[in-house]
Amino acid sequence: MTPISAKDSTVAPAFDEVGLHYDRLTGMSPGYAAQLRSSARVLTGMLARRPAPGEEPLQIADLGCGSGASTSALLAALRETGSPFRVEGVDGSAGMLEAARAKEWPDSVSFTHAQAEDLPDAGTRYDAVFAAYLLRNVPDRDAFLHHVWRSLRPGGVLVVHDYGVAGRPLDVAAWTALSWGIIIPSAAIVTRKRPNLFTYLWRSVLEFDSDEQLQERLTRAGFTDVGLRPVPGWQSGMVRTLWGRRP
Ligand SMILES: C[S@@+](CC[C@H](N)C(=O)[O-])C[C@H]1O[C@@H](n2cnc3c(N)ncnc32)[C@H](O)[C@@H]1O
């Protein structure tokens, strides 16, 4: 069996078989939805444009939208702004999108099946891009970030929400204990499959950028106002919110 690796784009197809179980799995993680909402609020707090009703809607992309948990978080945060908006969820896994599309969404939400790094470079169309648990999985992170930068309007923002423990031995130990003690066994029971995707999750988080490396990556891709903070709650040392703006 081919090992799952971000380097050869095998991550999104590997999600196909867990799509219908994904919400049950994340439902077992206390705070998963609340942490996504807190990152979505970082995004809405940074919007450069605040259209009034009747004006041109905000265009927001949710890259790696999966079964729609991050899309729901965006919807909740965007509704709080009072501005009109459109959200485009994009995911490389047909199985995850099937789970997303099975839910009820307003007309302002649409879904597209595509690898995030292969999106056509239509240029300066998004006011904001949200990428929750995606960046770790794309084959060439620098190229991807620059691609996102090009797809933003001037003033547009990127918010990344993802795991990261590099450089903090206590958080590395906590992540390994959580992965092997809870996530991997629970996923094997719920999905009744070999837990390859979840051993990949453990490994990929250990190998992912430190906070400093992530911020440097955004700066290298051309983003300004770059910042990072841990999410609130018990996963504070493991999940972080990162942001940057296209000047
Ligand atoms: C852990 S899930 C997160 C889903 C959602 N954002 C959330 O917060 O619940 C990661 C998603 O990213 C998708 N994905 C991984 N690599 C991708 C890529 N290169 N392009 C598009 N989607 C990708 C997977 O198919 C999966 O649905």
Side-chain angles (χ1 to χ4, degrees):
M1 180 173 290
T2 319
I4 300 169
S5 157
K7 292 203 169 50
D8 49 17
S9 302
T10 45
V11 181
F15 271 90
D16 283 347
E17 355 186 273
V18 303
L20 296 176
H21 305 288
Y22 197 75
D23 290 349
R24 228 173 115 202
L25 288 170
T26 54
M28 292 158 80
S29 172
Y32 187 87
Q35 289 162 6
L36 283 171
R37 276 199 304 275
S38 100
S39 292
R41 285 207 183 99
V42 169
L43 181 148
T44 53
M46 289 182 71
L47 287 168
R49 226 164 52 86
R50 305 268 166 184
E55 290 181 354
E56 190 199 342
L58 294 162
Q59 299 286 347
I60 314 289
D62 180 16
L63 301 185
C65 62
S67 60
S70 44
T71 321
S72 292
L74 277 173
L75 269 186
L78 284 162
R79 281 177 171 147
E80 287 167 3
T81 68
S83 286
F85 59 83
R86 289 207 190 97
V87 178
E88 191 184 336
V90 175
D91 203 281
S93 159
M96 292 292 274
L97 278 181
E98 190 185 333
R101 286 184 172 129
K103 296 173 183 162
E104 267 192 37
W105 300 99
D107 291 345
S108 52
V109 175
S110 62
F111 293 102
T112 304
H113 185 198
Q115 287 287 113
E117 61 276 19
D118 293 343
L119 275 183
D121 193 355
T124 65
R125 61 186 162 143
Y126 295 121
D127 291 281
V129 168
F130 195 41
Y133 304 110
L134 173 76
L135 184 59
R136 184 169 33 85
N137 299 316
V138 298
D140 181 340
R141 290 174 198 148
D142 287 331
F144 170 71
L145 286 171
H146 195 60
H147 187 58
V148 170
W149 187 94
R150 283 198 306 269
S151 76
L152 288 167
R153 297 173 178 224
V157 292
L158 166 66
V159 171
V160 171
H161 174 103
D162 210 330
Y163 294 104
V165 291
R168 295 188 303 272
L170 282 179
D171 291 327
V172 169
W175 170 246
T176 294
L178 176 67
S179 294
W180 286 94
I182 297 178
I183 296 176
I184 294 168
S186 316
I189 292 166
V190 169
T191 65
R192 294 171 191 270
K193 305 265 188 222
R194 289 157 62 105
N196 295 350
L197 183 61
F198 297 89
T199 51
Y200 160 78
L201 170 67
W202 166 66
R203 215 172 351 106
S204 68
V205 171
L206 291 183
E207 290 165 0
F208 195 25
D209 294 344
S210 68
D211 294 353
E212 294 70 28
Q213 286 168 327
L214 259 191
Q215 293 180 87
E216 279 162 24
R217 247 185 229 288
L218 254 67
T219 305
R220 262 202 315 275
F223 288 91
T224 57
D225 300 343
V226 173
L228 181 147
R229 71 163 199 210
V231 295
W234 71 280
Q235 279 197 312
S236 181
M238 298 181 202
V239 183
R240 59 231 163 132
T241 312
L242 166 81
W243 56 86
R245 186 185 298 286
R246 175 178 174 161

